[in-house]
Amino acid sequence: MLSRAATATLTAATHGSDSSDAAATLAATVHTAGQVATVALIVTIAVTFYLFTCLIWPFGKCRRCKGVGKFKSPFGRAYRHCGKCDGSGLRVRVGRHVINHMRAVRGAGQNSTSKGDRS
């Protein structure tokens, strides 16, 4: 969505000469590129914050039992463990799965300090 200034510039450029057309197009492109860069920066910061919180708190509540770890019987006298979390009430968060995958991929590669076959 363009701002009023960019829209006015584009409107004036379409009804004006060719030299102002190029300047208006450039101004609108720079304005749009700035918005895209701002959104990309906000998304990057949000994802980084989420992954950081997944490092500190890797577990969340089980969605099936809502973190309790057990279910009551219909009469309320007996309990059974949740089959999804095995009674712990916890699950591994999606971001922690991503972090674990990145660590596994990084650890699977060889680097100059590994004690493998040196040819």
Side-chain angles (χ1 to χ4, degrees):
M1 180 175 216
L2 295 175
S3 67
R4 288 183 188 166
T7 307
T9 306
L10 285 175
T11 305
T14 56
H15 297 296
S17 64
D18 290 334
S19 63
S20 65
D21 185 32
T25 304
L26 180 63
T29 303
V30 169
H31 183 71
T32 304
Q35 288 176 339
V36 170
T38 303
V39 170
L41 180 66
I42 291 171
V43 168
T44 303
I45 290 171
V47 168
T48 304
F49 181 74
Y50 175 70
L51 290 176
F52 180 72
T53 58
C54 287
L55 276 173
I56 297 171
W57 300 287
F59 299 105
K61 288 182 181 180
C62 174
R63 292 185 180 126
R64 186 178 293 171
C65 65
K66 297 180 179 77
V68 178
K70 55 190 172 185
F71 292 105
K72 265 187 172 180
S73 69
F75 299 110
R77 296 184 62 129
Y79 292 96
R80 68 175 174 88
H81 290 293
C82 174
K84 181 115 175 145
C85 64
D86 291 329
S88 69
L90 301 174
R91 65 173 174 84
V92 178
R93 296 170 70 182
V94 174
R96 188 58 190 215
H97 281 293
V98 170
I99 292 170
N100 290 344
H101 177 72
M102 290 187 324
R103 284 184 176 174
V105 168
R106 183 173 186 266
Q110 279 197 327
N111 56 23
S112 61
T113 60
S114 66
K115 296 183 180 181
D117 182 34
R118 296 183 191 199
S119 301

